[in-house]
Amino acid sequence: MDFKDKQAIYLQIAGYVFEQILLGEIPIGGKMPSIRDLAVQIEVNPNTVQRTYDFLQQKEIISTKRGIGYFVNEDAREKVIAFKKEQFISDELPIVFRSLHLLDIDFDDLKQKYLTYIENNF
């Protein structure tokens, strides 16, 4: 992973896990990688991954089964979408709106570009 300076590493790892869940790479009900395995995979300290897993448990995305490991909760996809949507609306959308206004881009143009993007990428 390439980490950015503007956000805590454990939150960037959580974002990576969110994306993996949304893409189906980590299946609903599936076992999460062990803390050590994920730490080795993304080249971070296991304590950082533990902090990520604590955060994901707090958000009710994953839960632990004593002695077995961490698992993705059944409603994780919905919780991830709700969390990411709230984060996008509060953090990123104001920047997008400002750019749209400054660049005089109207919603009809934006809608067409969005539909083309979806068609070409999904």
Side-chain angles (χ1 to χ4, degrees), residues 49-98:
V49 175
Q50 178 65 59
R51 191 166 180 198
T52 300
Y53 280 19
D54 291 343
F55 174 78
L56 294 172
Q57 281 186 288
Q58 179 186 17
K59 296 294 180 192
E60 300 177 344
I61 307 298
I62 65 171
S63 56
T64 185
K65 294 183 182 175
R66 181 174 249 161
I68 300 175
Y70 293 91
F71 290 83
V72 178
N73 291 339
E74 293 300 321
D75 60 350
R77 181 174 174 75
E78 292 79 16
K79 291 191 185 236
V80 167
I81 289 171
F83 179 79
K84 294 294 288 177
K85 195 179 286 188
E86 180 182 315
Q87 190 178 44
F88 176 79
I89 289 170
S90 67
D91 297 346
E92 297 179 41
L93 203 52
I95 296 166
V96 172
F97 286 155
R98 179 173 173 74

Side-chain angles (χ1 to χ4, degrees), residues 31-43:
K31 189 173 188 304
M32 293 288 296
S34 73
I35 290 170
R36 285 189 181 129
D37 287 347
L38 186 57
V40 167
Q41 178 185 339
I42 59 176
E43 301 176 351

Side-chain angles (χ1 to χ4, degrees), residues 3-5 7 13 26 33 37-39 49 58 60 65 67 71 73 84 90 99-100 107 109 114:
F3 297 108
K4 301 173 185 114
D5 291 336
Q7 187 181 37
I13 298 168
I26 301 175
D37 287 347
L38 186 57
V49 175
Q58 179 186 17
E60 300 177 344
K65 294 183 182 175
F71 290 83
N73 291 339
K84 294 294 288 177
S90 67
S99 294
L100 290 172
F107 283 109
D109 291 340
Y114 172 76

